[in-house]
Protein backbone atom coordinates (compact mmCIF):
# COMPACT_ATOMS: atom_id res chain seq x y z
CA UNK A 1 0.00 0.00 0.00
CA UNK A 2 1.45 3.35 -1.04
CA UNK A 3 1.92 5.93 1.68
CA UNK A 4 0.64 9.45 1.23
CA UNK A 5 2.04 12.59 2.78
CA UNK A 6 1.50 16.30 2.35
CA UNK A 7 4.37 18.64 1.48
CA UNK A 8 4.49 22.30 0.62
CA UNK A 9 6.37 23.23 -2.55
CA UNK A 10 7.57 26.68 -3.59
CA UNK A 11 5.98 27.51 -6.96
CA UNK A 12 8.95 29.73 -7.85
CA UNK A 13 11.98 27.52 -7.20
CA UNK A 14 10.54 24.09 -6.28
CA UNK A 15 11.90 24.00 -2.72
CA UNK A 16 9.98 21.64 -0.41
CA UNK A 17 8.95 22.18 3.20
CA UNK A 18 7.02 19.95 5.63
CA UNK A 19 4.83 22.89 6.65
CA UNK A 20 3.63 26.14 5.13
CA UNK A 21 5.93 29.13 5.54
CA UNK A 22 5.44 32.67 4.33
CA UNK A 23 8.87 33.36 2.88
CA UNK A 24 10.81 30.79 0.89
CA UNK A 25 14.28 30.33 2.44
CA UNK A 26 15.75 29.29 -0.94
CA UNK A 27 14.63 32.08 -3.30
CA UNK A 28 13.32 34.69 -0.85
CA UNK A 29 9.85 35.01 -2.44
CA UNK A 30 6.74 35.54 -0.31
CA UNK A 31 3.51 33.47 -0.39
CA UNK A 32 4.75 30.99 -3.01
CA UNK A 33 4.24 27.73 -1.08
CA UNK A 34 1.40 25.49 -2.27
CA UNK A 35 0.20 22.22 -0.77
CA UNK A 36 0.77 19.00 -2.70
CA UNK A 37 0.09 15.34 -1.94
CA UNK A 38 3.01 13.01 -2.51
CA UNK A 39 2.53 9.26 -2.72
CA UNK A 40 5.59 7.16 -2.03
CA UNK A 41 5.66 3.65 -3.44
CA UNK A 42 7.19 0.98 -1.24
CA UNK A 43 10.70 -0.01 -2.26
CA UNK A 44 10.50 -3.59 -3.57
CA UNK A 45 13.94 -3.77 -5.12
CA UNK A 46 17.26 -2.94 -3.61
CA UNK A 47 19.37 -0.24 -5.29
CA UNK A 48 22.27 -2.66 -5.64
CA UNK A 49 20.17 -5.02 -7.76
CA UNK A 50 19.20 -2.22 -10.10
CA UNK A 51 22.81 -1.14 -10.45
CA UNK A 52 23.86 -4.66 -11.32
CA UNK A 53 21.47 -4.78 -14.29
CA UNK A 54 22.45 -1.35 -15.62
CA UNK A 55 22.89 -1.39 -19.41
CA UNK A 56 25.19 1.63 -19.62
CA UNK A 57 28.87 1.58 -18.90
CA UNK A 58 31.48 4.34 -18.61
CA UNK A 59 33.46 5.25 -21.72
CA UNK A 60 36.56 7.38 -22.13
CA UNK A 61 36.21 10.94 -23.37
CA UNK A 62 38.43 10.12 -26.35
CA UNK A 63 36.03 7.40 -27.58
CA UNK A 64 32.95 9.66 -27.60
CA UNK A 65 31.86 10.73 -31.09
CA UNK A 66 31.55 14.52 -31.14
CA UNK A 67 30.34 15.15 -34.70
CA UNK A 68 27.99 18.06 -35.32
CA UNK A 69 24.38 17.18 -34.64
CA UNK A 70 22.21 17.22 -37.79
CA UNK A 71 19.61 19.96 -37.43
CA UNK A 72 16.06 20.10 -38.71
CA UNK A 73 15.31 23.11 -40.91
CA UNK A 74 12.13 24.79 -39.65
CA UNK A 75 11.79 26.96 -42.80
CA UNK A 76 11.81 30.05 -40.55
CA UNK A 77 15.01 32.10 -40.69
CA UNK A 78 14.28 33.92 -37.44
CA UNK A 79 13.48 30.77 -35.47
CA UNK A 80 16.45 28.90 -36.97
CA UNK A 81 18.78 31.75 -35.97
CA UNK A 82 17.55 31.83 -32.37
CA UNK A 83 17.86 28.04 -32.06
CA UNK A 84 21.44 28.16 -33.36
CA UNK A 85 20.90 26.93 -36.92
CA UNK A 86 17.86 24.68 -36.59
CA UNK A 87 16.25 22.14 -34.29
CA UNK A 88 18.55 19.46 -32.92
CA UNK A 89 17.21 15.91 -32.99
CA UNK A 90 16.26 14.61 -29.57
CA UNK A 91 16.20 18.09 -28.02
CA UNK A 92 13.52 19.49 -25.73
CA UNK A 93 12.60 23.15 -26.44
CA UNK A 94 10.42 25.23 -24.12
CA UNK A 95 8.61 28.24 -25.64
CA UNK A 96 7.15 30.64 -23.08
CA UNK A 97 5.11 33.81 -23.38
CA UNK A 98 2.16 35.77 -22.06
CA UNK A 99 -1.40 34.70 -22.95
CA UNK A 100 -2.41 35.90 -26.40
CA UNK A 101 1.09 36.90 -27.47
CA UNK A 102 1.17 34.38 -30.33
CA UNK A 103 3.00 31.27 -29.05
CA UNK A 104 0.58 28.76 -30.55
CA UNK A 105 0.37 30.79 -33.77
CA UNK A 106 4.16 30.78 -34.14
CA UNK A 107 4.47 27.02 -33.59
CA UNK A 108 1.44 26.11 -35.70
CA UNK A 109 2.47 28.18 -38.70
CA UNK A 110 5.98 26.72 -38.43
CA UNK A 111 4.80 23.10 -38.53
CA UNK A 112 2.34 23.87 -41.34
CA UNK A 113 5.27 24.92 -43.54
CA UNK A 114 7.09 21.61 -43.01
CA UNK A 115 5.22 19.19 -45.30
CA UNK A 116 8.24 16.92 -45.63
CA UNK A 117 8.16 16.04 -41.91
CA UNK A 118 5.70 13.90 -39.97
CA UNK A 119 4.52 16.14 -37.13
CA UNK A 120 2.31 15.30 -34.15
CA UNK A 121 0.59 18.29 -32.53
CA UNK A 122 -0.74 17.56 -29.03
CA UNK A 123 -3.27 20.17 -27.89
CA UNK A 124 -4.39 20.25 -24.27
CA UNK A 125 -6.16 23.62 -24.47
CA UNK A 126 -7.90 23.83 -27.84
CA UNK A 127 -10.18 21.45 -29.71
CA UNK A 128 -9.36 20.06 -33.13
CA UNK A 129 -11.95 22.36 -34.71
CA UNK A 130 -10.29 25.43 -33.20
CA UNK A 131 -6.91 24.33 -34.55
CA UNK A 132 -8.45 23.73 -37.98
CA UNK A 133 -9.91 27.25 -38.06
CA UNK A 134 -6.57 28.76 -37.06
CA UNK A 135 -4.68 26.69 -39.62
CA UNK A 136 -7.06 27.82 -42.38
CA UNK A 137 -6.40 31.42 -41.42
CA UNK A 138 -2.61 30.93 -41.48
CA UNK A 139 -2.27 29.04 -44.77
CA UNK A 140 -4.46 27.84 -47.62
CA UNK A 141 -2.34 24.83 -48.53
CA UNK A 142 -3.47 21.49 -47.05
CA UNK A 143 -1.25 19.93 -44.40
CA UNK A 144 -0.73 16.38 -43.17
CA UNK A 145 0.02 17.49 -39.60
CA UNK A 146 -1.41 15.00 -37.07
CA UNK A 147 -3.63 16.55 -34.37
CA UNK A 148 -4.43 14.92 -31.03
CA UNK A 149 -6.37 16.60 -28.23
CA UNK A 150 -5.06 14.88 -25.11
CA UNK A 151 -3.98 15.81 -21.58
CA UNK A 152 -2.87 12.41 -20.27
CA UNK A 153 0.86 11.80 -20.47
CA UNK A 154 0.41 8.05 -20.84
CA UNK A 155 -1.93 8.51 -23.83
CA UNK A 156 0.50 10.97 -25.40
CA UNK A 157 3.23 8.33 -25.31
CA UNK A 158 0.82 5.88 -26.96
CA UNK A 159 0.17 8.36 -29.78
CA UNK A 160 3.90 8.94 -30.22
CA UNK A 161 4.57 5.21 -30.38
CA UNK A 162 1.80 4.61 -32.92
CA UNK A 163 2.61 7.53 -35.25
CA UNK A 164 6.44 7.64 -35.01
CA UNK A 165 6.60 11.41 -35.74
CA UNK A 166 9.66 13.47 -36.71
CA UNK A 167 8.58 16.32 -34.40
CA UNK A 168 6.22 16.54 -31.41
CA UNK A 169 4.52 19.74 -30.22
CA UNK A 170 2.79 19.85 -26.83
CA UNK A 171 0.51 22.83 -26.12
CA UNK A 172 0.83 23.35 -23.24
CA UNK A 173 2.93 21.61 -20.57
CA UNK A 174 0.74 23.04 -17.78
CA UNK A 175 -2.28 21.06 -19.01
CA UNK A 176 -0.52 17.66 -19.11
CA UNK A 177 -0.78 15.30 -16.14
CA UNK A 178 0.36 11.80 -15.31
CA UNK A 179 -1.57 9.11 -13.47
CA UNK A 180 1.42 8.42 -11.23
CA UNK A 181 0.68 11.61 -9.26
CA UNK A 182 -2.60 12.70 -7.70
CA UNK A 183 -1.94 16.43 -7.79
CA UNK A 184 -3.82 18.62 -10.24
CA UNK A 185 -2.42 19.52 -13.71
CA UNK A 186 -0.19 22.57 -13.65
CA UNK A 187 1.19 21.93 -10.19
CA UNK A 188 4.92 21.86 -9.59
CA UNK A 189 5.12 18.09 -9.18
CA UNK A 190 3.04 17.41 -12.31
CA UNK A 191 5.05 19.82 -14.45
CA UNK A 192 8.34 18.40 -13.16
CA UNK A 193 7.42 14.75 -13.64
CA UNK A 194 5.82 15.26 -17.06
CA UNK A 195 8.74 17.31 -18.37
CA UNK A 196 11.26 14.74 -17.11
CA UNK A 197 9.34 11.88 -18.72
CA UNK A 198 9.05 13.76 -22.03
CA UNK A 199 12.78 14.54 -21.96
CA UNK A 200 13.62 10.88 -21.36
CA UNK A 201 11.39 9.84 -24.27
CA UNK A 202 12.91 12.48 -26.57
CA UNK A 203 16.47 11.38 -25.83
CA UNK A 204 15.70 7.69 -26.31
CA UNK A 205 13.80 8.10 -29.58
CA UNK A 206 15.83 11.08 -30.92
CA UNK A 207 12.54 12.88 -31.57
CA UNK A 208 12.60 16.65 -30.88
CA UNK A 209 9.81 18.01 -28.71
CA UNK A 210 8.56 21.61 -28.48
CA UNK A 211 6.77 22.48 -25.24
CA UNK A 212 4.64 25.59 -24.90
CA UNK A 213 4.57 27.13 -21.41
CA UNK A 214 2.63 29.92 -19.76
CA UNK A 215 3.97 33.07 -18.15
CA UNK A 216 2.85 33.79 -14.60
CA UNK A 217 2.01 37.24 -13.22
CA UNK A 218 5.64 37.90 -12.26
CA UNK A 219 6.65 37.61 -15.93
CA UNK A 220 8.49 34.29 -15.76
CA UNK A 221 7.58 30.81 -16.98
CA UNK A 222 5.34 29.02 -14.48
CA UNK A 223 7.61 26.77 -12.46
CA UNK A 224 10.74 28.30 -14.07
CA UNK A 225 13.46 26.68 -11.97
CA UNK A 226 11.77 23.30 -12.27
CA UNK A 227 11.61 23.46 -16.06
CA UNK A 228 14.74 25.41 -16.97
CA UNK A 229 17.23 22.81 -15.82
CA UNK A 230 15.27 19.96 -17.46
CA UNK A 231 14.86 21.30 -21.00
CA UNK A 232 17.66 21.94 -23.49
CA UNK A 233 16.47 25.31 -24.80
CA UNK A 234 14.28 28.02 -23.29
CA UNK A 235 12.77 30.56 -25.71
CA UNK A 236 10.71 33.54 -24.60
CA UNK A 237 8.19 35.19 -26.93
CA UNK A 238 7.55 38.73 -25.79
CA UNK A 239 6.06 41.99 -26.96
CA UNK A 240 3.25 44.40 -26.23
CA UNK A 241 -0.18 43.33 -27.45
CA UNK A 242 -0.84 46.93 -28.49
CA UNK A 243 2.11 46.86 -30.89
CA UNK A 244 2.55 44.72 -33.99
CA UNK A 245 6.09 43.57 -33.19
CA UNK A 246 7.03 40.37 -31.37
CA UNK A 247 10.52 39.42 -30.20
CA UNK A 248 11.75 35.86 -29.74
CA UNK A 249 14.65 35.64 -27.27
CA UNK A 250 16.80 32.71 -26.22
CA UNK A 251 17.24 32.50 -22.45
CA UNK A 252 19.01 29.13 -22.41
CA UNK A 253 20.41 27.14 -25.32
CA UNK A 254 22.65 24.08 -25.02
CA UNK A 255 23.15 23.99 -28.80
CA UNK A 256 23.72 27.66 -29.63
CA UNK A 257 24.15 31.22 -28.44
CA UNK A 258 21.76 32.95 -26.04
CA UNK A 259 22.48 36.38 -27.54
CA UNK A 260 20.29 35.87 -30.60
CA UNK A 261 16.82 37.23 -31.14
CA UNK A 262 14.18 37.06 -33.84
CA UNK A 263 11.71 39.79 -34.74
CA UNK A 264 8.21 39.14 -36.07
CA UNK A 265 5.30 41.30 -37.14
CA UNK A 266 1.83 40.22 -36.08
CA UNK A 267 -0.60 40.32 -38.99
CA UNK A 268 -4.08 39.05 -39.74
CA UNK A 269 -2.70 36.00 -41.54
CA UNK A 270 -0.12 35.12 -38.87
CA UNK A 271 3.40 36.19 -37.98
CA UNK A 272 5.67 37.66 -40.64
CA UNK A 273 9.44 37.51 -40.33
CA UNK A 274 11.13 40.91 -40.15
CA UNK A 275 14.43 40.58 -41.99
CA UNK A 276 15.29 44.30 -41.81
CA UNK A 277 13.86 45.68 -38.56
CA UNK A 278 15.54 49.09 -38.93
CA UNK A 279 13.18 50.22 -41.68
CA UNK A 280 10.13 49.33 -39.59
CA UNK A 281 11.41 50.78 -36.31
CA UNK A 282 12.21 54.18 -37.80
CA UNK A 283 9.40 56.62 -38.55
CA UNK A 284 10.12 58.84 -41.52
CA UNK A 285 8.21 61.92 -40.33
CA UNK A 286 10.20 63.09 -37.29
CA UNK A 287 12.13 65.78 -39.16
CA UNK A 288 11.91 69.10 -37.33
CA UNK A 289 10.65 67.49 -34.12
CA UNK A 290 12.61 67.86 -30.91
CA UNK A 291 13.32 65.00 -28.51
CA UNK A 292 14.06 62.36 -31.17
CA UNK A 293 17.47 60.72 -31.68
CA UNK A 294 18.45 57.69 -33.77
CA UNK A 295 20.69 55.09 -32.11
CA UNK A 296 22.52 52.15 -33.65
CA UNK A 297 21.98 49.14 -31.36
CA UNK A 298 22.98 45.48 -31.60
CA UNK A 299 21.04 42.50 -30.28
CA UNK A 300 22.80 39.20 -30.84
CA UNK A 301 24.54 39.51 -34.19
CA UNK A 302 21.95 41.84 -35.71
CA UNK A 303 22.50 45.59 -35.87
CA UNK A 304 19.43 47.77 -36.20
CA UNK A 305 18.57 51.43 -35.81
CA UNK A 306 16.01 52.46 -33.21
CA UNK A 307 14.24 55.71 -32.53
CA UNK A 308 14.77 57.15 -29.03
CA UNK A 309 12.09 59.62 -27.94
CA UNK A 310 12.25 61.92 -24.91
CA UNK A 311 9.97 64.55 -23.41
CA UNK A 312 11.16 67.06 -20.80
CA UNK A 313 8.66 69.41 -19.16
CA UNK A 314 8.38 71.45 -16.00
CA UNK A 315 7.21 69.48 -12.98
CA UNK A 316 3.64 70.34 -12.05
CA UNK A 317 3.84 68.72 -8.62
CA UNK A 318 6.59 68.84 -6.06
CA UNK A 319 8.36 65.65 -7.03
CA UNK A 320 9.44 65.40 -10.70
CA UNK A 321 8.46 62.24 -12.55
CA UNK A 322 10.93 59.84 -14.15
CA UNK A 323 9.45 57.30 -16.54
CA UNK A 324 11.09 55.07 -19.17
CA UNK A 325 9.50 52.58 -21.57
CA UNK A 326 11.83 50.02 -23.11
CA UNK A 327 14.85 51.36 -21.20
CA UNK A 328 16.19 50.83 -17.68
CA UNK A 329 14.86 53.59 -15.42
CA UNK A 330 17.85 53.39 -13.08
CA UNK A 331 20.25 53.90 -15.97
CA UNK A 332 18.19 56.86 -17.16
CA UNK A 333 18.49 58.44 -13.70
CA UNK A 334 22.25 57.91 -13.87
CA UNK A 335 22.42 59.65 -17.25
CA UNK A 336 20.36 62.56 -15.92
CA UNK A 337 22.81 62.91 -13.02
CA UNK A 338 25.70 62.99 -15.52
CA UNK A 339 23.97 65.74 -17.49
CA UNK A 340 23.49 67.83 -14.37
CA UNK A 341 26.89 67.24 -12.77
CA UNK A 342 29.25 67.11 -15.75
CA UNK A 343 27.49 69.22 -18.38
CA UNK A 344 25.58 71.70 -16.21
CA UNK A 345 21.99 71.18 -17.35
CA UNK A 346 19.52 71.57 -14.49
CA UNK A 347 16.90 68.85 -14.82
CA UNK A 348 16.17 68.25 -11.13
CA UNK A 349 12.84 70.11 -11.24
CA UNK A 350 11.63 68.76 -14.56
CA UNK A 351 9.65 65.69 -15.59
CA UNK A 352 11.53 63.36 -17.93
CA UNK A 353 9.79 60.72 -20.03
CA UNK A 354 11.71 58.32 -22.27
CA UNK A 355 10.37 55.89 -24.86
CA UNK A 356 11.95 53.39 -27.24
CA UNK A 357 9.74 53.47 -30.33
CA UNK A 358 8.14 50.24 -31.51
CA UNK A 359 7.64 48.70 -28.08
CA UNK A 360 11.16 47.25 -27.93
CA UNK A 361 13.19 46.67 -24.78
CA UNK A 362 16.85 47.49 -25.40
CA UNK A 363 19.71 46.64 -23.02
CA UNK A 364 22.58 47.77 -25.26
CA UNK A 365 24.61 50.45 -23.41
CA UNK A 366 25.60 51.93 -26.79
CA UNK A 367 22.30 53.85 -26.95
CA UNK A 368 23.29 56.02 -23.94
CA UNK A 369 24.46 58.81 -26.25
CA UNK A 370 21.15 58.81 -28.12
CA UNK A 371 19.20 58.88 -24.84
CA UNK A 372 20.94 61.96 -23.45
CA UNK A 373 20.84 63.64 -26.88
CA UNK A 374 17.06 63.14 -27.09
CA UNK A 375 16.62 64.43 -23.53
CA UNK A 376 18.70 67.53 -24.23
CA UNK A 377 16.92 68.09 -27.56
CA UNK A 378 13.54 68.10 -25.81
CA UNK A 379 14.84 70.32 -23.00
CA UNK A 380 16.18 72.92 -25.46
CA UNK A 381 13.31 72.36 -27.95
CA UNK A 382 15.93 72.01 -30.68
CA UNK A 383 15.57 69.27 -33.28
CA UNK A 384 18.39 66.90 -34.19
CA UNK A 385 19.10 66.53 -37.89
CA UNK A 386 17.22 63.61 -39.39
CA UNK A 387 20.34 62.28 -41.14
CA UNK A 388 22.40 61.88 -37.95
CA UNK A 389 22.89 58.52 -36.22
CA UNK A 390 24.94 57.83 -33.09
CA UNK A 391 26.33 55.13 -30.82
CA UNK A 392 28.29 55.45 -27.59
CA UNK A 393 28.28 54.50 -23.92
CA UNK A 394 28.29 57.36 -21.40
CA UNK A 395 30.48 57.05 -18.32
CA UNK A 396 29.95 58.69 -14.93
CA UNK A 397 32.63 61.30 -15.62
CA UNK A 398 30.91 62.39 -18.84
CA UNK A 399 33.24 60.54 -21.22
CA UNK A 400 32.00 58.66 -24.28
CA UNK A 401 33.24 55.10 -23.93
CA UNK A 402 33.90 52.83 -26.95
CA UNK A 403 31.35 50.23 -28.04
CA UNK A 404 31.80 46.85 -29.69
CA UNK A 405 31.28 45.95 -33.35
CA UNK A 406 31.32 49.53 -34.55
CA UNK A 407 31.75 48.49 -38.21
CA UNK A 408 28.36 46.76 -38.25
CA UNK A 409 26.68 49.73 -36.60
CA UNK A 410 28.15 52.14 -39.14
CA UNK A 411 27.28 49.81 -42.03
CA UNK A 412 23.61 49.64 -40.95
CA UNK A 413 23.38 53.45 -40.76
CA UNK A 414 25.07 53.81 -44.13
CA UNK A 415 22.72 51.27 -45.72
CA UNK A 416 19.66 53.27 -44.62
CA UNK A 417 20.95 56.56 -46.01
CA UNK A 418 22.32 58.38 -42.95
CA UNK A 419 25.05 60.92 -43.69
CA UNK A 420 26.65 61.51 -40.28
CA UNK A 421 27.57 59.05 -37.56
CA UNK A 422 28.69 60.16 -34.09
CA UNK A 423 30.93 57.58 -32.44
CA UNK A 424 33.46 57.38 -29.57
CA UNK A 425 36.93 58.58 -30.54
CA UNK A 426 38.58 55.40 -29.28
CA UNK A 427 36.60 53.36 -31.81
CA UNK A 428 38.58 54.99 -34.62
CA UNK A 429 41.65 52.97 -33.64
CA UNK A 430 41.99 50.08 -36.07
CA UNK A 431 38.88 51.14 -38.03
CA UNK A 432 39.26 50.95 -41.80
CA UNK A 433 37.69 54.22 -42.98
CA UNK A 434 38.59 53.78 -46.65
CA UNK A 435 35.38 51.92 -47.51
CA UNK A 436 33.12 54.02 -45.27
CA UNK A 437 31.19 56.68 -47.20
CA UNK A 438 29.29 58.11 -44.24
CA UNK A 439 30.81 61.07 -42.40
CA UNK A 440 32.27 59.99 -39.04
CA UNK A 441 32.23 62.44 -36.11
CA UNK A 442 34.49 61.14 -33.29
CA UNK A 443 33.79 62.56 -29.81
CA UNK A 444 35.52 62.06 -26.48
CA UNK A 445 33.14 63.81 -24.06
CA UNK A 446 29.46 64.56 -23.87
CA UNK A 447 30.11 68.28 -24.50
CA UNK A 448 31.75 67.52 -27.85
CA UNK A 449 28.78 65.44 -28.94
CA UNK A 450 26.38 68.25 -28.01
CA UNK A 451 28.45 70.82 -29.92
CA UNK A 452 28.40 68.65 -33.05
CA UNK A 453 24.62 68.22 -32.75
CA UNK A 454 23.46 71.70 -31.73
CA UNK A 455 26.45 73.92 -32.58
Amino acid sequence: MAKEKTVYVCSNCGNESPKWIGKCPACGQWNTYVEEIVRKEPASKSPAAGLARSKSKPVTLHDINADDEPRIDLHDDELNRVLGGGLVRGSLVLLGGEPGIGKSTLVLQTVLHMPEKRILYISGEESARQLKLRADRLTKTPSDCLIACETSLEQIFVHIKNTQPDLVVIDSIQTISTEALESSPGSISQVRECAAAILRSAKESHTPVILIGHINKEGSIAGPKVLEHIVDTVLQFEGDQHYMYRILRSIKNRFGSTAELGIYEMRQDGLRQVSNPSELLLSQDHEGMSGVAIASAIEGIRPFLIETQALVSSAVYGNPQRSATGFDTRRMNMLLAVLEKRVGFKLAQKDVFLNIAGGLKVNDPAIDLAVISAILSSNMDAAIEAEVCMAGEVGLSGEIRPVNRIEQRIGEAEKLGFRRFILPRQNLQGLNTAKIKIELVPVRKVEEAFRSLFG
Side-chain angles (χ1 to χ4, degrees), residues 217-253:
K217 62 182 180 180
E218 286 81 17
S220 57
I221 300 174
K225 303 303 178 184
V226 175
L227 284 177
E228 282 182 2
H229 77 277
I230 295 178
V231 301
D232 297 315
T233 304
V234 179
L235 305 180
Q236 187 149 339
F237 204 43
E238 59 187 35
D240 194 336
Q241 294 185 2
H242 302 289
Y243 289 92
M244 65 182 74
Y245 305 114
R246 302 288 187 268
I247 297 179
L248 182 66
R249 297 183 185 273
S250 175
I251 301 177
K252 170 190 175 182
N253 193 353

Side-chain angles (χ1 to χ4, degrees), residues 147-179:
I147 304 296
C149 300
E150 188 61 62
T151 58
S152 173
L153 182 65
E154 288 74 17
Q155 291 298 320
I156 290 175
F157 287 149
V158 172
H159 292 315
I160 294 175
K161 182 179 179 181
N162 293 336
T163 57
Q164 296 294 320
D166 299 320
L167 172 63
V168 178
V169 178
I170 298 180
D171 183 11
S172 66
I173 185 60
Q174 276 84 13
T175 62
I176 307 302
S177 61
T178 175
E179 298 176 358

Side-chain angles (χ1 to χ4, degrees), residues 104-105 107-108 119-132 134 145-153 155-156 159-160 168-177 210-212 214:
S104 301
T105 301
V107 175
L108 185 60
I119 299 171
L120 176 61
Y121 193 103
I122 307 292
S123 176
E125 298 179 344
E126 295 178 296
S127 63
R129 178 178 175 81
Q130 289 175 310
L131 290 174
K132 173 63 176 177
R134 177 179 293 178
C145 178
L146 301 173
I147 304 296
C149 300
E150 188 61 62
T151 58
S152 173
L153 182 65
Q155 291 298 320
I156 290 175
H159 292 315
I160 294 175
V168 178
V169 178
I170 298 180
D171 183 11
S172 66
I173 185 60
Q174 276 84 13
T175 62
I176 307 302
S177 61
I210 298 179
L211 302 178
I212 297 179
H214 294 304

